[in-house]
Amino acid sequence: QAQLVESGGGLVQAGDSLTLSCVVSGRGFSSYHMGWFRHTPGKEREFVAGILNTGRKTQYADTVKGRFTISRDNGKNTLYLQMDTLKPEDTAVYFCAARTYGDSNRVAVSRNDYNYWGQGTQVTVSS
């Protein structure tokens, strides 16, 4: 069973950058497809970015494309989300998620495709 722990959230100003990390326990990380989601009150948890287990394919939500970069270090069991040019609308709780099964050629964008989740880290962007 995988355990995911996010870190790196905080309060920043619009235009700033922030990097989130997600450390995954156990030996299976290199076989997991990973994703970042975010949640704001009153909205459903939404897909932000995803990456295949090998790192060879990534996918982004249109709202963050060109500003956010997802990456992973399989040697450190760690997933990253580099967030640049942050906007107030990026304010949310950010969750990392692991998908331990499924198609190795497709980045999953539905939260229902991920079976392990972290506890979340708050990102607040002031205007």
Side-chain angles (χ1 to χ4, degrees):
Q1 185 171 355
Q3 291 188 325
L4 288 63
V5 179
E6 303 98 333
S7 63
L11 172 63
V12 296
Q13 293 187 331
D16 285 352
S17 297
L18 205 58
T19 300
L20 305 183
S21 299
C22 173
V23 177
V24 181
S25 66
R27 297 185 175 182
F29 180 72
S30 62
S31 66
Y32 299 161
H33 309 306
M34 300 296 296
W36 286 100
F37 288 75
R38 65 188 182 187
H39 179 253
T40 54
K43 294 184 178 180
E44 293 191 355
R45 190 172 297 190
E46 65 172 353
F47 172 80
V48 175
I51 187 169
L52 294 182
N53 61 327
T54 58
R56 66 178 178 86
K57 189 173 182 179
T58 59
Q59 188 163 340
Y60 298 90
D62 288 342
T63 51
V64 306
K65 198 173 295 182
R67 299 188 298 120
F68 289 12
T69 303
I70 188 172
S71 63
R72 64 191 295 159
D73 186 336
N74 285 351
K76 295 183 178 180
N77 280 21
T78 303
L79 176 73
Y80 302 99
L81 185 68
Q82 173 68 39
M83 304 185 292
D84 297 321
T85 320
L86 282 161
K87 304 176 181 180
E89 50 264 42
D90 294 319
T91 296
V93 178
Y94 284 72
F95 298 87
C96 68
R99 183 176 185 223
T100 62
Y101 63 96
D103 190 348
S104 295
N105 295 309
R106 178 181 69 88
V107 176
V109 300
S110 169
R111 64 182 187 273
N112 295 324
D113 289 327
Y114 292 83
N115 51 330
Y116 290 103
W117 293 84
Q119 82 291 346
T121 186
Q122 176 72 46
V123 172
T124 303
V125 185
S126 64
S127 57

